């Protein structure tokens, strides 16, 4: 059974993280049945997969998000799905990080990525928004600070001259759906590794594994 995480175990934004400092995992997406299963909502799917894996329910309304908190082993974890719609995600993520006085190096945002092949994942310790409007909103509400990590979830590029906006709001075809379904548990393993081993080491190992996965898939289809 998960214990409630107390704010007293959270470090201030200026303080160095301690062994009890929590992680805030934020999955980006659009709320509502209309958007369920679309490419733009894989951030929601990833955080749902993680929450189910560790037994933390996200049913508390907080800072415009569906929120959950608990422990994975000894590691305190906060989970959030902003309900603001994608392009306003920062209106939830910013206040959540501020409320818990979290340094941004304890925040990981899960989001779809057009630049990665479908089903390929990457952990990135910091960076820009890459024209992703959800990420752009998060950065804006972190006062321009980009020093937070991301779990990038590859959805591939739209075919031909298709409008990327239309592509993002489509559901996956059967082949792409299989790749995403296979990737979700891989992401859960990586996130568990972060909680126990730290971000840098987990990212080095996980990104190498994903690189090999991509190379194997390319070899099989060539």
């Amino acid at each position: 059974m998960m214990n409630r995480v107390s704010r007293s175990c959270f470090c201030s934004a200026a303080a160095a993280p301690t062994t009890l400092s929590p992680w805030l995992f934020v999955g980006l997406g659009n709320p509502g049945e209309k958007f369920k299963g679309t490419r733009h909502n894989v951030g929601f799917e990833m955080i749902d997969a993680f929450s189910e894996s560790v037994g933390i329910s996200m049913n508390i309304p907080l800072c415009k998000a569906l929120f959950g908190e608990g422990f994975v082993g000894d590691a305190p974890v906060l989970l959030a799905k902003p309900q603001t719609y994608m392009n306003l995600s920062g209106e939830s993520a910013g206040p959540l990080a501020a409320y818990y006085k979290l340094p941004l190096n304890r925040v990981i945002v899960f989001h779809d990525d057009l630049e990665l092949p479908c089903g390929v994942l990457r952990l990135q310790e910091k960076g820009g928004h890459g024209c992703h409007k959800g990420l752009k909103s998060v950065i804006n509400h972190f006062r321009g600070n980009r020093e937070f990590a991301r779990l990038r979830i590859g959805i591939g590029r739209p075919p031909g001259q298709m409008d990327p906006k239309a592509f993002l709001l489509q559901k996956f075809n059967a082949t792409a759906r299989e790749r995403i379904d296979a990737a979700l548990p891989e992401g859960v393993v990586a996130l568990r590794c972060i909680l126990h081993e730290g971000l840098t080491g987990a990212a080095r190992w996980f990104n190498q594994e994903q690189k090999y996965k991509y190379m194997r898939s390319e070899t099989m289809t060539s």
Side-chain angles (χ1 to χ4, degrees):
M1 181 176 179
M2 294 293 171
N3 297 318
R4 184 173 175 81
V5 178
S6 169
R7 289 184 70 197
S8 65
C9 79
F10 291 77
C11 57
S12 70
T18 69
T19 56
L20 289 180
S21 296
W23 287 94
L24 170 61
F25 293 168
V26 182
L28 302 189
N30 287 308
E33 285 297 315
K34 175 182 177 181
F35 300 103
K36 188 175 182 180
T38 61
R39 293 180 176 89
H40 221 18
N41 269 38
V42 289
F44 273 10
E45 291 192 39
M46 183 62 75
I47 203 161
D48 284 342
F50 182 81
S51 70
E52 292 168 11
S53 172
V54 299
I56 299 176
S57 298
M58 289 182 292
N59 52 16
I60 303 168
L62 181 65
C63 296
K64 300 183 181 181
L66 290 177
F67 176 80
E69 58 183 340
F71 288 83
V72 180
D74 294 328
V77 184
L78 309 173
L79 306 179
K81 292 168 65 175
Q83 301 295 291
T84 57
Y85 291 96
M86 175 67 82
N87 295 356
L88 301 175
S89 297
E91 292 183 4
S92 174
L96 272 170
Y99 179 76
Y100 282 101
K101 301 180 181 179
L102 294 175
L104 294 190
N105 62 8
R106 303 296 282 187
V107 177
I108 304 180
V109 175
F110 311 164
H111 67 90
D112 56 289
D113 196 308
L114 290 164
E115 300 304 322
L116 290 175
C118 186
V120 174
L121 309 178
R122 287 287 185 276
L123 279 170
Q124 185 172 327
E125 296 190 47
K126 58 184 177 180
H129 55 74
C131 297
H132 190 289
K133 291 184 179 179
L135 272 181
K136 184 177 181 180
S137 176
V138 171
I139 291 170
N140 287 342
H141 285 268
F142 286 164
R143 300 181 180 180
N145 194 325
R146 304 179 179 195
E147 304 293 310
F148 61 93
R150 306 95 193 280
L151 176 55
R152 301 165 56 199
I153 306 162
I155 59 171
R157 298 290 304 177
Q161 300 300 312
M162 184 177 184
D163 182 357
K165 293 180 181 178
F167 181 72
L168 291 172
L169 296 178
Q170 279 188 348
K171 296 183 185 292
F172 292 101
N173 61 33
T175 300
R177 182 73 259 174
E178 287 180 5
R179 291 175 180 172
I180 293 297
D181 288 344
L184 295 175
E186 295 172 358
V188 169
V189 170
L191 294 167
R192 284 176 170 271
C193 185
I194 289 170
L195 295 177
H196 300 293
E197 304 295 335
L199 176 60
T200 300
R204 185 183 305 114
W205 159 77
F206 182 68
N207 290 342
Q208 192 69 21
E209 288 291 311
Q210 289 292 303
K211 180 180 178 181
Y212 289 147
K213 170 187 169 182
Y214 173 66
M215 291 170 61
R216 287 194 299 269
S217 67
E218 286 291 290
T219 300
M220 291 173 64
T221 56
S222 62

